[in-house]
């Protein structure tokens, strides 16, 4: 690892609110998407040469979104600047830039809202903090709305439930629509449209990878565990983040999912058409993009005739699957229209649709259908990092908060040594890994390292006190981000891994064949 | 008498702007769809659960309590104090005060101290806490100043420079049946009423919209049941027709 070109935040004995450093992150800016990337996913190719044209388009789009999203409308009006959110954002804590305080990030947009959509802002702009939209302000949007990971931590503490993620999504949607898109996210969405997954892995490559995986597992365990793809008639369609197919430590969890299905005797398949659980449409805030990505899962499910749809370890994917799929592609229950009925009559109503892989595994454990050698994980002292979209934007199991208990229950069922991090950094108060929401790109490394700081502090405390050597998580982005940033804080990059990696280590597969 | 007419006109105007403005704003919030299920989780899975969550939010400021204890303390003191004070003021608008309204008078009277304490605390944070200073706009200060003027003049009339409350009551009861009865000439009263009228006039266009806004906040008022119920906004349903 080369020495960083920026100052690392220092671990604090007693975490207190840091002093402000204005403009500390003003230089942070992801690469702008080129014309080809923009056009491939249906956005304007580039900014108009005439600023006045862009200006009018921004205001028009803003007005359109205010009419389409109650969240945006209420959140623009309701904030009283109470400051409850000001010290809650991991990017603020790590960077000290005041514009990374959630309320200040919102104000970048709210100041424009007031100027163009409220009469006090039209009459007395200075008084109410309203501003004319300029190119500089649009650049500021581009910088700071790409310093938000849409993790919703601020929304937990807001007395009006204002969720900066909604504001960020609206801002990014507007930026996309005027030709000011972000290269990383939009390139990825283009790959999903064209090939079916974020990494652009075509079907044959996936088949090769999975065949290799079957050989590895056979060699490792002596058992012929299958990793099937595109098999019609399977009971379960597993949709998982494409990082699971090749990245470390992600692939260890994929191995684990296969072992769970094998041990329980459930037939399952992956799909080359829907080979991606992730949905970067969420990050861009474009309903249409998100819907288009989600429709691939519907198409695959109908084609393969599966009875259940299960989602692998991925935070934002689980948010989209759990909370939005029923709306976007009809995977769910309770639909009364032909579009959703067509799919829902095919799905088995005895299971939640979609189910999280952790729900499946925990359900099987409770039924006694999985057996473990817990000692196999004894070399690990484990803690659990709640991923933001799972914690604050979704659920598992039949009750509120199941998303916290089920992964922990699984860990405790498959391993003996488990330690919690500080209570202010777990469950619904969990800190983002620093790489979520579409910022997992190398040119934003400084942001990512600084954003990881609060989590690294909490981790450091359990590493020092309990010798923790494994931080389990159920998110592909968390895994990739931590692998990259752990070394900056003096930790081994292999300290992070998946919950099903632990399952994989301890599970009994039955007879050797 | 000219002051009486001025205030009579002002209050008709303020009441109209306040009521119509707020009705429009609430209509505007209500007609705007929430196309996706976005409660901040863990969230209640049923409607009664959502009502209970909203009750805790509105009455106890639960999220603010989690967020910042000082702001919660001052904010809660101010709002609860204001609530009791407002209830107490109902006696100016009913000819025969019911027993419970008479009973509540002393509570409303002393709640004003709690209200003012909260206000001063909230304002202090805007000066002394660096983060809050950074996010404060001039209008944030002016709102607090306005509320302080209303509060100080009100308390002044209650505890010190008494005003002929019977005449004040006659003025407001008169307005309600389009009769104009003379207001007592009292500087404190004029300032108090002017402050209240300004507040009512600006309410529907300002951050005071947090009051109706909280009830429409999708992260708080949606039940967490997206797997069980299909949630589709009209504009989003159009995609499925093509």
């Amino acid at each position: 690892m080369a020495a960083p070109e920026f100052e690392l935040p220092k671990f604090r004995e007693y975490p207190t609110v840091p002093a402000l450093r204005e403009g500390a992150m003003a230089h942070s800016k992801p690469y702008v998407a080129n014309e080809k990337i923009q056009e491939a996913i249906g956005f304007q190719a580039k900014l108009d040469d005439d600023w006045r044209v862009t200006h009018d388009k921004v205001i028009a789009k803003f007005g359109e979104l205010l009419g389409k999203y109650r969240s945006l409308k209420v959140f623009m009006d309701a904030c009283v600047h109470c400051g409850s959110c000001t010290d809650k954002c991991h990017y603020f804590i790590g960077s000290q830039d005041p514009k990374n305080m959630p309320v200040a990030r919102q104000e970048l947009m709210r100041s424009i809202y007031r100027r163009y959509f409220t009469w006090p802002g039209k009459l007395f702009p200075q008084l109410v903090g309203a501003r004319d939209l300029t190119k500089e302000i649009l650049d500021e949007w581009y910088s700071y709305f790409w310093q938000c990971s849409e993790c919703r931590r601020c929304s937990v503490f807001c007395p009006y439930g204002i969720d900066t993620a909604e504001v960020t999504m609206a801002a990014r949607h507007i930026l996309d629509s005027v030709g000011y898109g972000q290269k990383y996210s939009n390139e990825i969405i283009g790959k999903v449209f064209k090939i079916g997954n974020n990494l652009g892995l075509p079907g044959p490559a996936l088949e090769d990878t999975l065949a290799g995986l079957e050989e590895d597992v056979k060699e490792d365990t002596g058992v012929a565990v299958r990793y099937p793809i595109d098999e019609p008639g399977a009971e379960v369609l597993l949709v998982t983040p494409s990082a699971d197919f090749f990245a470390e430590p992600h692939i260890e969890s994929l191995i684990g999912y296969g072992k769970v299905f094998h041990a329980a005797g459930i037939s399952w398949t992956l799909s080359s058409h829907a080979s991606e659980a992730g949905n970067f449409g969420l990050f861009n805030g474009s309903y249409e993009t998100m819907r288009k990505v989600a429709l691939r899962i519907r198409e695959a499910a109908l084609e393969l005739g599966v009875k259940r749809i299960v989602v692998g370890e991925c935070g934002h994917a689980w948010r989209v699957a759990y909370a939005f799929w029923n709306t976007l592609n009809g995977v769910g229950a309770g639909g009364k229209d032909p579009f959703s009925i067509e799919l829902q009559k095919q799905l088995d109503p005895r299971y939640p649709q979609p189910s999280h892989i952790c729900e499946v595994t925990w359900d099987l454990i409770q039924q006694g259908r999985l057996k473990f050698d817990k000692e196999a994980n004894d070399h690990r002292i484990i803690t659990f990092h709640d991923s933001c979209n799972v914690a604050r934007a979704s659920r598992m199991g039949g009750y509120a908060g199941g998303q916290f208990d089920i992964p922990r229950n699984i860990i405790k069922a498959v391993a003996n040594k488990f330690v919690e991090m500080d209570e202010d950094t777990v469950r619904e108060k969990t800190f983002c890994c620093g790489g979520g929401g579409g910022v997992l790109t190398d040119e934003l490394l400084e942001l990512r390292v600084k954003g990881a700081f609060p989590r690294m502090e909490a981790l450091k405390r359990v590493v020092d006190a309990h010798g923790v050597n494994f931080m389990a998580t159920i998110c592909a982005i968390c895994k990739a981000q931590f692998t990259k940033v752990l070394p900056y804080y003096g930790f081994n990059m292999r300290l992070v891994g998946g919950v099903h990696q632990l399952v994989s280590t301890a599970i009994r597969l039955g007879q050797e064949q | 008498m000219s002051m009486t007419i001025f205030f009579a006109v002002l209050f008709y105007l303020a009441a109209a702007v306040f009521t119509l403005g707020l009705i429009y704003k609430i209509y505007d919030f209500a007609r705007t769809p929430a196309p996706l299920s976005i409660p901040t989780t863990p969230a209640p899975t049923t409607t009664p659960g959502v009502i209970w969550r909203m009750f805790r939010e509105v009455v106890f400021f639960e999220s603010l309590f989690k967020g910042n204890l000082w702001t919660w303390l001052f904010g809660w003191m101010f709002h609860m104090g204001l609530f009791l004070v407002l209830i107490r003021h109902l006696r100016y608008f009913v000819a025969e005060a019911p027993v419970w309204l008479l009973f509540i008078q002393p509570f409303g009277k002393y709640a004003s101290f709690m209200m003012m304490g909260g206000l001063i605390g909230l304002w202090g944070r805007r000066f002394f806490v660096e983060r809050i200073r950074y996010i404060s706009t001039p209008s944030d200060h002016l709102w607090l100043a306005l509320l302080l003027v209303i509060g100080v003049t009100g308390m002044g009339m209650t505890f010190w420079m008494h005003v002929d409350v019977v005449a004040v009551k006659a003025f407001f009861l008169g307005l309600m049946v389009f009769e104009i009865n003379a207001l007592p000439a009292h500087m404190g009263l004029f300032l108090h009423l002017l402050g209240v009228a300004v507040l009512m006039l600006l309410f529907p266009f300002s951050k005071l919209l947090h009051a109706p806004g909280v009830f429409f906040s999708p992260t708080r008022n949606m039940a967490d049941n997206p797997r069980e119920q299909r949630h589709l906004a009209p504009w989003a349903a159009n995609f499925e027709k093509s």
Side-chain angles (χ1 to χ4, degrees):
Chain A
M1 186 189 76
E5 292 158 15
F6 49 85
E7 198 186 333
L8 275 176
K10 291 189 180 54
F11 288 134
R12 304 161 297 177
E13 192 166 351
Y14 301 103
T16 48
V17 181
L20 305 185
R21 284 167 58 188
E22 275 195 55
M25 290 301 285
H27 58 279
S28 180
K29 191 180 169 183
Y31 297 140
V32 178
N34 65 29
E35 298 175 32
K36 224 173 108 191
I37 295 171
Q38 286 289 98
E39 280 173 342
I41 60 172
F43 290 127
Q44 183 172 318
K46 62 186 182 76
L47 283 170
D48 290 288
D49 295 328
D50 185 348
W51 162 250
R52 283 167 303 178
V53 176
T54 302
H55 171 279
D56 294 351
K57 282 182 180 171
V58 168
I59 301 304
K61 191 73 186 176
F62 198 163
E64 181 196 323
L65 296 182
L66 284 167
K68 281 181 161 178
Y69 290 89
R70 182 185 293 164
S71 53
L72 185 64
K73 174 161 276 178
V74 172
F75 296 166
M76 286 294 109
D77 276 330
C79 179
V80 301
H81 300 162
C82 77
S84 181
C85 63
T86 50
D87 55 349
K88 303 302 187 287
C89 175
H90 51 289
Y91 292 121
F92 168 68
I93 297 171
S95 74
Q96 297 172 254
D97 188 320
K99 287 192 177 128
N100 277 327
M101 299 191 295
V103 50
R105 196 185 313 283
Q106 294 162 23
E107 287 295 309
L108 297 175
M109 217 172 160
R110 196 175 281 117
S111 58
I112 304 303
Y113 168 74
R114 288 216 197 85
R115 186 74 176 116
Y116 294 87
F117 298 97
T118 72
W119 73 256
K122 285 176 185 167
L123 296 179
F124 315 106
Q126 285 85 6
L127 204 63
V128 295
R131 301 186 297 175
D132 285 311
L133 180 66
T134 61
K135 177 66 169 64
E136 289 68 41
I137 289 177
L138 205 68
D139 290 337
E140 204 178 28
W141 280 22
Y142 190 78
S143 175
Y144 284 99
F145 285 116
W146 286 107
Q147 295 187 46
C148 169
S149 59
E150 303 178 346
C151 82
R152 314 188 94 199
R153 191 167 193 268
C154 47
S155 86
V156 171
F157 302 99
C158 175
Y160 319 112
I162 297 174
D163 178 6
T164 309
E166 293 291 311
V167 179
T168 293
M169 287 173 203
R172 291 179 184 179
H173 191 173
I174 294 171
L175 288 166
D176 269 330
S177 72
V178 299
Y180 204 173
Q182 187 226 36
K183 175 172 182 271
Y184 168 72
S185 297
N186 287 0
E187 199 166 41
I188 280 176
I189 293 167
K191 282 184 203 160
V192 179
F193 281 3
K194 201 166 157 203
I195 300 163
N197 56 62
N198 289 359
L199 297 172
L201 299 165
L206 292 176
E207 284 163 30
D208 273 1
T209 307
L210 294 169
L213 214 55
E214 288 182 352
E215 281 170 30
D216 292 348
V217 174
K218 178 83 197 273
E219 206 169 290
D220 217 32
T221 64
V223 179
V225 177
R226 296 207 56 222
Y227 292 86
I229 186 162
D230 295 332
E231 290 197 353
E235 185 185 348
V236 168
L237 168 63
L238 179 79
V239 187
T240 202
S242 54
D244 282 4
F245 295 119
F246 91 113
E248 278 288 346
H250 307 62
I251 199 160
E252 305 293 337
S253 283
L254 175 60
I255 293 171
Y257 316 148
K259 288 181 180 174
V260 167
F261 289 126
H262 176 94
I266 297 169
S267 72
W268 67 291
T269 185
L270 292 152
S271 156
S272 56
H273 181 69
S275 45
E276 179 60 64
N279 190 331
F280 276 34
L282 176 75
F283 302 156
N284 280 19
S286 159
Y287 186 98
E288 287 176 71
T289 307
M290 195 156 60
R291 179 170 186 269
K292 204 169 161 189
V293 173
L295 282 178
R296 298 184 75 94
I297 286 99
R298 174 191 176 86
E299 289 150 10
L302 288 170
E303 194 190 317
L304 296 167
V306 293
K307 300 288 176 209
R308 301 168 64 181
I309 301 177
V310 174
V311 179
E313 294 181 358
C314 183
H316 85 277
W318 179 238
R319 178 183 192 184
V320 174
Y322 170 83
F324 303 161
W325 270 5
N326 202 350
T327 299
L328 297 171
N329 64 13
V331 175
K336 293 181 179 67
D337 51 291
F339 177 84
S340 54
I341 288 170
E342 183 190 4
L343 177 58
Q344 293 180 4
K345 68 170 192 240
Q346 176 190 313
L347 300 175
D348 188 337
R350 292 173 301 169
Y351 300 96
Q353 306 285 358
S355 294
H356 193 282
I357 186 69
C358 285
E359 292 181 302
V360 174
T361 300
W362 178 236
D363 192 36
L364 293 168
I365 292 173
Q366 284 179 302
Q367 291 175 35
R369 289 169 67 188
L370 301 178
K371 295 280 178 269
F372 301 96
D373 296 314
K374 291 173 83 169
E375 302 71 39
N377 274 314
D378 275 355
H379 60 294
R380 289 169 171 149
I381 302 167
I382 302 158
T383 192
F384 182 68
H385 163 80
D386 291 279
S387 298
C388 33
N389 275 300
V390 176
R392 291 184 284 259
S394 77
R395 176 163 58 96
M396 286 182 206
Y399 63 97
Q403 69 269 36
F404 308 128
D405 298 338
I406 287 176
R408 286 172 171 81
N409 290 346
I410 295 174
I411 295 172
K412 289 172 192 167
V414 305
N416 288 312
K417 299 170 187 168
F418 176 75
V419 182
E420 284 281 6
M421 288 184 276
D422 283 358
E423 64 173 337
D424 280 345
T425 73
V426 294
R427 301 172 72 95
E428 74 262 36
K429 294 181 183 173
T430 188
F431 277 107
C432 171
C433 62
V439 304
L440 192 73
T441 175
D442 281 347
E443 75 267 24
L444 294 177
L445 190 61
E446 176 182 359
L447 177 78
R448 290 165 52 190
V449 169
K450 290 181 172 176
F453 175 62
R455 171 49 75 224
M456 293 295 105
E457 275 194 322
L459 177 63
K460 172 95 171 127
R461 275 173 243 136
V462 289
V463 166
D464 290 348
H466 304 284
V468 164
N469 60 11
F470 193 93
M471 179 163 63
T473 185
I474 45 173
C475 173
I477 288 177
C478 293
K479 290 171 193 168
Q481 156 76 353
F482 284 135
T483 303
K484 183 93 180 179
V485 303
L486 279 165
Y488 284 87
Y489 291 96
F491 300 113
N492 186 332
M493 64 184 271
R494 302 187 70 86
L495 197 139
V496 65
V499 167
H500 279 78
Q501 184 174 345
L502 300 171
V503 172
S504 175
T505 304
I507 194 166
R508 281 190 210 156
L509 292 172
Q511 295 293 342
E512 289 194 8
Q513 290 167 359
Chain B
M1 196 60 196
S2 61
M3 282 313 253
T4 298
I5 293 187
F6 169 75
F7 276 108
V9 172
L10 185 64
F11 269 88
Y12 280 128
L13 184 70
V17 170
F18 177 80
T19 313
L20 296 176
L22 217 50
I23 287 173
Y24 174 75
K25 245 5 246 204
I26 288 169
Y27 161 73
D28 197 27
F29 288 157
R31 74 170 168 172
T32 309
L36 293 163
S37 173
I38 59 165
T40 305
T41 60
T45 54
T46 60
T47 305
V50 167
I51 292 169
W52 174 230
R53 180 187 205 179
M54 192 60 83
F55 177 83
R56 297 196 315 264
E57 203 64 85
V58 171
V59 177
F60 302 119
F61 303 0
E62 184 181 29
S63 297
L64 185 57
F65 183 80
K66 290 185 209 160
N68 188 298
L69 271 180
W70 284 111
T71 310
W72 175 82
L73 179 71
F74 294 135
W76 196 81
M77 279 169 62
F78 165 67
H79 283 88
M80 288 306 130
L82 176 65
F83 178 67
L84 285 172
V85 168
L86 282 178
I87 298 231
R88 180 174 120 87
H89 278 70
L90 282 179
R91 71 168 180 173
Y92 291 100
F93 303 90
V94 289
E96 290 291 326
V99 175
W100 66 266
L101 189 50
L102 294 174
F103 173 77
I104 210 156
Q105 291 300 313
F107 295 98
K109 207 164 147 180
Y110 292 101
S112 61
F113 289 96
M114 185 162 96
M115 178 179 119
M116 298 304 276
L119 265 185
I120 291 163
L122 289 174
W123 207 353
R125 287 180 58 75
R126 296 212 180 274
F127 289 104
F128 301 119
V129 181
E130 188 189 21
R131 303 182 323 274
I132 318 288
R133 191 164 64 229
Y134 178 88
I135 58 169
S136 296
T137 59
S139 63
D140 293 328
H141 289 281
L142 288 175
W143 275 118
L144 289 162
L146 179 65
L147 288 163
L148 217 61
V149 166
I150 296 171
V152 165
T153 50
M155 287 174 78
M157 287 183 284
T158 306
F159 296 106
W160 179 39
M161 298 190 312
H162 294 286
V163 68
D164 181 355
V165 291
V166 178
V168 175
K169 181 168 180 162
F171 172 77
F172 280 103
L173 286 176
L175 286 188
M176 290 159 77
V177 291
F178 301 101
E179 275 175 26
I180 297 195
N181 300 319
L183 262 182
H186 188 292
M187 209 49 213
L189 178 68
F190 290 161
L191 267 176
H192 189 72
L193 294 182
L194 187 67
V196 172
V198 169
L199 186 142
M200 288 168 74
L201 283 166
L202 294 178
F203 195 108
F205 315 99
S206 70
K207 69 172 188 174
L208 270 54
L209 287 170
H210 67 276
V214 62
F215 295 99
F216 289 93
S217 179
T219 64
R220 294 293 182 270
N221 76 3
M222 293 182 98
D224 181 26
N225 59 3
R227 285 194 290 196
E228 294 78 27
Q229 277 180 31
R230 187 151 200 254
H231 183 98
L232 200 62
W235 65 260
N238 289 335
F239 291 122
E240 283 164 26
K241 289 181 185 135
S242 54

